[in-house]
Amino acid sequence: MSSSPPNSSLSSRAAPGNSSPRSRSRWVLTFQAYMWRLLARIGFYLHTFPKPSPPEPSFISSYSTAPIHGPDAAILQLAFYVPAEYHREIERGRKYPAVVNFHGGGFTLGRPSDDARWAAAVNRQASAIVIGVTYRLAPEHPFPTAVEDGMCALLHIAAHAEGLGIDPSQLSLSGFSAGANLAFAIPLRLQSYIRSSGMHQLENESAPDLPRVAFIIAWYPGLDYRLSRDQRRAASVKPSKTLPPILTNLMDASYFPDAADMKSRYASPAAATDEELVTALPDDIALFLCEWDMLLQEGRDFGERLEGLGKRVRCEIIKEREHAFDKKPWPFKLDWKVGLYYALACEWICEVHRVSAHRARRQTEQLD
């Protein structure tokens, strides 16, 4: 296997001041991030106007980042979106598939409710629970905070799957933009965490309930920060349709106060070795890429690489659409392609979960 080992440093760093290799001070970045967050909330408010309206979470739970941060752990929210019959059915012992979702926003903006329409589609068309993960945002919480928060959320969900009515053999990850990056980075980080903590050496009876991810659904992911934004824009078929530099520069400087971190596999999953990708990622991957996105080519390259490693990769190029095509703040109607591609993703979720559940039953029968 051919990839060279990436930078594996993951120690949390305090945000540097004026000595940072990034030119802008952290307080200026924080002020700008707050302004963009306000604009994003206005945009998502307009996004609620087209019918059917996006749902509110069915209920809110919480998780702790204690596995990483110990006594300094944060308590963060999980937003649950569940099928209509969920509460009645789990009392009868039914176990549901679950999709753990990570919102986008360049690690600087966003919240779980941004993907409420996606959650509604999965509830309805895949009869699955969707769990929207709150993770802390940059520049207040730079890399690797989002990855570590997401990993702790996944550990929490796996440990409480029984009480939540989740079938642990039917667990998927989804994400949009930066959240899609996390959907790949978190399994890589989880693999390192399990190995460093010695959990993989425990006997079956004493081992904790660890996440077993069956499927990753990634919407217009950023996968290789080793490429500059100029390189990415130059690769786009319509550079004028890509995200503006004023926004991408803010996001990158906020999340990466140390530019060297961009080479980490937890920032750039494409920097992982072939062996790491084979062992950390599930066999089934779906990539939804936008034709006019600056991230199109790296998504294609990553999909082809995974396919060459034996993964079952489903890759859809959404023609004549730009990044975050499904999140446009147009108050009159939704893009018709949103429903089309959400439905396709739900169809694939059902297919993969059926296979993974069948495989889990066979393994249980063999053990018995």
Side-chain angles (χ1 to χ4, degrees):
M1 295 187 178
S2 60
S3 293
S4 59
N7 177 7
S8 61
S9 175
L10 229 231
S11 57
S12 297
R13 300 173 176 83
N18 293 332
S19 62
S20 167
R22 314 299 269 175
S23 60
R24 285 179 282 184
S25 66
R26 305 305 289 174
W27 75 263
V28 172
L29 290 174
T30 302
F31 175 78
Q32 291 176 334
Y34 273 106
M35 293 300 99
W36 278 102
R37 288 169 192 166
L38 176 61
L39 292 173
R41 292 320 338 137
I42 295 171
F44 275 102
Y45 173 71
L46 295 175
H47 186 64
T48 65
F49 283 19
K51 302 299 182 182
S53 299
E56 294 294 322
S58 306
F59 61 91
I60 300 293
S61 184
S62 63
Y63 72 96
S64 168
T65 64
I68 292 291
H69 302 121
D72 298 321
I75 304 299
L76 302 171
Q77 288 190 339
L78 298 171
F80 282 75
Y81 298 83
V82 301
E85 73 287 353
Y86 166 81
H87 293 288
R88 180 179 69 252
E89 290 296 316
I90 64 168
E91 289 181 0
R92 299 174 178 174
R94 179 175 174 180
K95 300 301 179 188
Y96 282 85
V99 177
V100 181
N101 185 69
F102 302 94
H103 66 79
F107 309 103
T108 305
L109 319 172
R111 58 180 65 173
S113 60
D114 296 349
D115 300 324
R117 292 188 190 277
W118 163 243
V122 175
N123 288 166
R124 185 174 61 255
Q125 299 175 43
S127 296
I129 300 165
V130 176
I131 307 166
V133 177
T134 299
Y135 56 89
R136 289 171 290 177
L137 301 175
E140 301 94 320
H141 302 282
F143 176 86
T145 303
V147 182
E148 294 179 339
D149 286 354
M151 187 199 74
C152 292
L154 193 57
L155 287 167
H156 174 91
I157 292 163
H160 295 84
E162 179 71 24
L164 292 167
I166 293 172
D167 181 344
S169 71
Q170 301 182 67
L171 184 65
S172 294
L173 306 183
S174 69
F176 294 77
S177 189
N181 170 290
L182 293 176
F184 289 107
I186 287 166
L188 290 165
R189 180 67 180 96
L190 178 65
Q191 180 186 66
S192 174
Y193 173 78
I194 290 171
R195 289 177 174 174
S196 64
S197 62
M199 290 183 185
H200 63 299
Q201 298 175 336
L202 296 174
E203 297 296 332
N204 289 336
E205 303 82 50
S206 58
D209 293 321
L210 296 173
R212 301 192 303 275
V213 177
F215 193 22
I216 292 174
I217 308 100
W219 299 87
Y220 37 87
L223 296 164
D224 198 347
Y225 280 94
R226 296 171 302 176
L227 302 171
S228 71
R229 290 290 181 175
D230 287 342
Q231 287 175 297
R232 289 160 146 178
R233 284 192 181 88
S236 172
V237 298
K238 275 207 172 184
S240 63
K241 293 286 188 179
T242 62
L243 294 176
I246 190 173
L247 180 57
T248 56
N249 290 346
L250 167 66
M251 291 172 170
D252 295 349
S254 295
Y255 192 50
F256 299 110
D258 184 348
D261 284 334
M262 292 180 169
K263 300 177 183 178
S264 166
R265 61 190 180 275
Y266 308 129
S268 297
T273 65
D274 288 350
E275 181 182 5
E276 287 166 337
L277 295 176
V278 168
T279 55
L281 301 185
D283 290 336
D284 289 280
I285 311 285
L287 296 167
F288 289 89
L289 312 175
C290 299
E291 184 182 18
W292 294 342
D293 192 359
M294 72 171 77
L295 306 177
L296 170 64
Q297 191 56 51
E298 67 197 74
R300 275 177 161 166
D301 292 344
F302 193 65
E304 290 173 3
R305 181 180 170 198
L306 292 177
E307 202 164 33
L309 295 174
K311 303 296 186 184
R312 291 183 290 271
V313 179
R314 301 160 166 89
C315 185
E316 286 289 324
I317 310 297
I318 303 167
K319 299 293 186 182
E320 299 181 345
R321 293 297 186 273
E322 62 265 44
H323 190 84
F325 78 104
D326 57 329
K327 304 293 194 303
K328 298 304 176 188
W330 184 245
F332 303 110
K333 65 177 182 179
L334 289 174
D335 186 331
W336 64 272
K337 289 194 175 184
V338 176
L340 176 69
Y341 284 101
Y342 279 11
L344 180 59
C346 290
E347 180 182 322
W348 289 346
I349 289 171
C350 292
E351 178 186 327
V352 172
H353 283 176
R354 277 196 300 269
V355 172
S356 61
H358 176 69
R359 187 181 299 121
R361 284 195 298 270
R362 289 189 62 182
Q363 290 174 345
T364 302
E365 289 168 1
Q366 289 171 358
L367 289 173
D368 292 343

